[in-house]
Amino acid sequence: MDRRVNIEGMYHFTQSLIGRQVNAEYLAQEITGYKNNPFIEALPPIFEEEFVGSNIARFPDHNEEQRKLGKQTRLHLIQQIADYVEPLPSHLLIEQRLSRLMRHGYKARNPLTRESVKQFHIGFQNILESGVNDEGINLVGIRSTAAGFAILGVSGQGKTTAIESSLLLYPQVIHHSTYQGQPFIRKQLVWLKLNCPHDGSLKGLCFNFLQAVDSVLETNYFRKFASKGSSVDMLLPVMAHIATLHGLGALVIDEIQNLSFMKSGGAERMLNYFTQLINTIGVPVILIGTFKAMKLLSGSFSQARRSTGQGDMIMDRLTEGEEWDYFIERLWKYQWTNSSTKLTDPLKKEMYKLSQGIVDIAVKLYMLAQWEVIMDGDDTKERVTVGLLRDVARRHMQLVQPLLQVLKRNDPSAKILVDDLYPQWDVLDQFLRNSEEKVNLQGEIRSKLLRDENIELDQARYLELVKTAIDFGATAESAEELAKRILLRNETESDLVRLRKELFQEIEFNGAAADIHNPITDNQAEQEQNKQPRKRMTRKTAPSNLDVDDLRNAATSGAAKSEEIYQNLVKLGSIPTEEDLSKLII
């Protein structure tokens, strides 16, 4: 019993998406391949675009009379934009693919056929180990009709929102009792959405799967199978058995880019298992992630082939023009300032420039701008202006600005750097709390408050890191930015030695990716192109006889990585050791 409790504590699972449960009502099918299959006939009818658009939309409560309400109330009304979902073409495409994916996957998994029943007698471990023959038929004679697809894109573009909105159009569980006058008692699991474990382990995914199924179906699979010292090799057939028994229509794995942090070979093993589920067991799989996952998916031929069963989908930024105009015009009407601001072409262009077409950043920028003008604007005329948008982006979204500049240049190689680019909602929640406090303050006290209250820094550590960065050759401006970035992503109590080491590595990285912090503007690029080509200069090699304390010795012998250079500099005595750093007093 103690072991069970410990395991549940180690692998605590929180269901991220829960759908509704219904009793089976069977619908006549127009498509021949969908007939006489209770798993398909119990699904809702095939949705038309109008139904999808109207049912996935989430619009804030808004009317002109709300402009007359008090400031604090309007601040909370603006928060509604956080839940705003405007149906876009990508949402419709995802639902269409999900609809086809589930129904076509069920074609070969009719629970009433002899082959489906035979699987449980032969055992899923044997089926998985045997794979499929040249014709794609597994050990019991079933040829999978399942496929899968991947949804990849920049963070903040609404991938998760789009797939979750589509999943929720379908019941998650359908309870069967009788079919065509015969007893048919089954809990059909139409869809299941999991996040890839943060440690990227296959065992963690199996445990998450078992706990998710238990939370939805009120079963006891996790306690039954996770309390026996179970290995991954034992859990994988169990997972396939449960998916088949309950007619899992689609398995959705989000945050697939976490696989890139796994130990050697782990990512390939997990992707191979997804391929087995699709090819051998017939369970459709949808993988969702950032561009960081692109290399992983394209690295396995079988997975790449199956992931394009419905066509891979790249949810990139909105393009400036008709697509962006539609989105921003719909968003702009949700204003709670006391004066209405008309959306002009300069405002459209500035919103795109500052967000680069990333939906999440555009929404948050618009929220921040309204909060700012309500807090500090003219009480008689609260207006959103181009200058206000620039000021808000500069002060409250400064960490993403260098990366947005890279996006502006349309550099494909930089996509990996914009993986987790957008600020989290909890940062804005903190900003809202600070905003409410500012609204209540009047006169001189209010005017003296720091406007950037959402960033709290340990001043002593901040100054020490700035000094260290300058000592390593960073400019004063870059040193302040680097120190702020290091402190923001670490706890206040973090060890200063570790912070200094992280700062040094950050400086080395920025040296290799200097274009992020010093992006070439369009005018500069044009000037460079107009310059006369220079003669090719041969790079001079370092002198063969260097003084013992010459810093160039740190980069010899092919030492290219920052960690190697760091260790060489320590050996040369040019920088303090970690022991020396720990003795420093600030």
Side-chain angles (χ1 to χ4, degrees):
M1 182 64 184
D2 291 339
R3 177 171 176 76
R4 292 177 180 175
V5 173
N6 290 337
I7 290 178
E8 289 187 12
M10 290 172 59
Y11 295 97
H12 178 68
F13 171 78
T14 302
Q15 181 76 5
S16 60
L17 185 66
I18 299 177
R20 67 188 189 278
Q21 302 196 17
V22 300
N23 293 322
E25 293 183 5
Y26 304 106
L27 302 177
Q29 302 295 307
E30 298 294 333
I31 300 174
T32 303
Y34 295 170
K35 294 180 178 180
N36 300 315
N37 187 326
F39 283 164
I40 297 179
E41 292 183 357
L43 294 176
I46 298 173
F47 301 131
E48 297 298 332
E49 288 186 348
E50 294 78 7
F51 176 87
V52 175
S54 61
N55 280 271
I56 67 175
R58 292 203 297 267
F59 300 133
D61 171 32
H62 175 268
N63 62 68
E64 289 298 314
E65 291 299 314
Q66 292 171 345
R67 295 184 189 275
K68 302 176 183 178
L69 298 174
K71 288 190 174 184
Q72 286 196 25
T73 302
R74 287 187 287 139
L75 289 175
H76 280 269
L77 288 169
I78 294 170
Q79 181 75 54
Q80 294 180 100
I81 304 178
D83 303 319
Y84 171 59
V85 176
E86 180 66 49
L88 297 171
S90 57
H91 294 88
L92 304 179
L93 288 174
I94 286 176
E95 192 287 321
Q96 291 170 11
R97 295 181 187 192
L98 177 66
S99 175
R100 297 193 299 265
L101 184 89
M102 287 195 299
R103 289 174 169 83
H104 196 71
Y106 277 135
K107 285 178 64 177
R109 301 167 64 209
N110 190 328
L112 303 180
T113 62
R114 183 181 63 179
E115 290 79 10
S116 292
V117 176
K118 189 177 178 181
Q119 293 180 101
F120 299 97
H121 294 291
I122 291 181
F124 287 87
Q125 183 168 352
N126 293 328
I127 296 174
L128 287 171
E129 290 176 352
S130 300
V132 296
N133 61 21
D134 294 339
E135 297 178 358
I137 299 175
N138 69 7
L139 190 61
V140 297
I142 295 177
R143 185 182 187 280
S144 173
T145 55
F149 67 93
I151 305 174
L152 303 177
V154 65
S155 292
Q157 201 56 26
K159 301 181 298 297
T160 299
T161 299
I163 191 65
E164 289 185 349
S165 298
S166 295
L167 290 173
L168 291 174
L169 294 177
Y170 297 83
Q172 187 172 20
V173 180
I174 299 176
H175 296 268
H176 299 264
S177 56
T178 60
Y179 178 72
Q180 294 183 351
Q182 299 295 321
F184 179 65
I185 301 174
R186 191 75 62 94
K187 291 181 180 180
Q188 178 185 353
L189 188 58
V190 179
W191 54 264
L192 191 67
K193 180 179 178 291
L194 304 174
N195 285 336
C196 187
H198 288 291
D199 63 355
S201 71
L202 189 51
K203 189 170 186 176
L205 179 72
C206 293
F207 281 150
N208 282 356
F209 177 86
L210 295 176
Q211 290 176 310
V213 172
D214 285 345
S215 67
V216 173
L217 300 182
E218 298 182 353
T219 48
N220 201 28
Y221 292 125
F222 182 80
R223 283 183 171 270
K224 183 176 180 181
F225 295 107
S227 59
K228 298 181 179 179
S230 50
S231 65
V232 172
D233 292 334
M234 190 202 88
L235 290 170
L236 293 179
V238 169
M239 189 171 165
H241 179 110
I242 293 171
T244 304
L245 176 65
H246 293 291
L248 179 57
L251 176 63
V252 181
I253 309 293
D254 203 351
E255 307 294 345
I256 199 68
Q257 71 274 4
N258 286 342
L259 289 178
S260 62
F261 298 111
M262 295 174 59
K263 295 180 180 179
S264 178
E268 184 177 359
R269 188 178 183 192
M270 188 179 289
L271 290 174
N272 285 339
Y273 180 64
F274 292 150
T275 302
Q276 280 185 305
L277 282 179
I278 296 170
N279 291 350
T280 309
I281 307 301
V283 178
V285 177
I286 301 172
L287 304 179
I288 305 173
T290 63
F291 287 121
K292 186 183 291 186
M294 188 176 293
K295 184 176 180 181
L296 289 167
L297 296 179
S298 60
S300 171
F301 175 77
S302 59
Q303 176 59 28
R305 177 171 57 86
R306 279 299 185 178
S307 70
T308 55
Q310 294 292 325
D312 277 344
M313 186 166 185
I314 304 298
M315 288 187 66
D316 209 345
R317 301 170 291 144
L318 298 181
T319 57
E320 194 169 13
E322 183 179 351
E323 188 178 32
W324 172 253
D325 288 348
Y326 173 80
F327 169 76
I328 198 65
E329 286 167 6
R330 300 282 291 180
L331 172 66
W332 199 261
K333 67 181 182 180
Y334 296 110
Q335 281 184 32
W336 285 273
T337 52
N338 60 18
S339 299
S340 175
T341 302
K342 183 180 179 181
L343 179 61
T344 60
D345 287 339
L347 284 169
K348 282 184 186 178
K349 291 183 180 298
E350 193 64 28
M351 282 290 291
Y352 189 85
K353 178 182 176 182
L354 295 174
S355 69
Q356 283 302 299
I358 298 175
V359 169
D360 196 73
I361 290 183
V363 167
K364 290 170 182 173
L365 176 61
Y366 190 46
M367 289 174 59
L368 286 165
Q370 290 194 61
W371 279 338
E372 188 78 12
V373 76
I374 289 176
M375 290 185 300
D376 298 326
D378 186 347
D379 289 343
T380 61
K381 197 172 185 181
E382 299 166 352
R383 287 288 184 88
V384 177
T385 64
V386 169
L388 173 70
L389 292 173
R390 290 175 183 167
D391 189 52
V392 166
R394 177 181 59 81
R395 289 185 294 106
H396 300 304
M397 307 183 83
Q398 54 187 300
L399 294 181
V400 303
Q401 293 308 311
L403 298 176
L404 290 175
Q405 290 298 319
V406 173
L407 287 176
K408 184 179 178 182
R409 290 168 51 199
N410 289 320
D411 184 359
S413 64
K415 286 184 177 179
I416 192 70
L417 298 175
V418 296
D419 178 35
D420 293 314
L421 131 80
Y422 62 97
Q424 298 297 319
W425 281 115
D426 54 3
V427 174
L428 297 188
D429 289 338
Q430 180 64 41
F431 183 87
L432 176 58
R433 286 193 291 272
N434 293 336
S435 301
E436 292 174 342
E437 294 171 5
K438 290 177 74 174
V439 166
N440 286 328
L441 297 172
Q442 303 295 328
E444 264 184 67
I445 299 178
R446 174 182 175 182
S447 65
K448 291 180 180 179
L449 279 174
L450 289 175
R451 301 181 72 177
D452 202 2
E453 293 177 359
N454 63 321
I455 299 177
E456 298 177 3
L457 298 176
D458 182 326
Q459 191 67 15
R461 292 171 184 269
Y462 172 71
L463 294 175
E464 189 64 26
L465 289 178
V466 170
K467 178 182 175 182
T468 303
I470 292 175
D471 288 342
F472 277 113
T475 65
E477 183 178 355
S478 297
E480 292 177 1
E481 180 184 353
L482 287 170
K484 187 179 296 184
R485 186 184 307 165
I486 295 295
L487 287 174
L488 282 173
R489 67 178 180 228
N490 286 280
E491 297 295 334
T492 308
E493 300 79 15
S494 295
D495 180 64
L496 183 59
V497 176
R498 186 172 67 81
L499 293 177
R500 281 190 174 117
K501 187 173 181 180
E502 187 175 340
L503 177 70
F504 175 78
Q505 293 172 340
E506 185 85 359
I507 292 172
E508 287 296 320
F509 173 80
N510 289 344
D515 59 338
I516 294 179
H517 298 283
N518 300 287
I520 301 174
T521 63
D522 296 336
N523 291 336
Q524 290 173 331
E526 185 176 353
Q527 291 173 8
E528 288 294 328
Q529 291 176 358
N530 293 332
K531 287 183 178 179
Q532 293 295 328
R534 298 179 179 179
K535 293 182 180 180
R536 171 176 272 179
M537 301 296 293
T538 315
R539 185 175 181 178
K540 294 182 179 180
T541 57
S544 57
N545 297 320
L546 298 176
D547 293 335
V548 175
D549 59 347
D550 195 308
L551 294 181
R552 286 172 289 180
N553 287 311
T556 58
S557 304
K561 296 182 179 179
S562 60
E563 186 66 24
E564 295 173 355
I565 297 175
Y566 176 86
Q567 295 300 333
N568 288 341
L569 287 171
V570 170
K571 291 177 182 177
L572 289 171
S574 301
I575 62 174
T577 64
E578 291 190 12
E579 182 179 356
D580 294 330
L581 288 172
S582 64
K583 296 177 182 178
L584 292 177
I585 300 175
I586 61 172

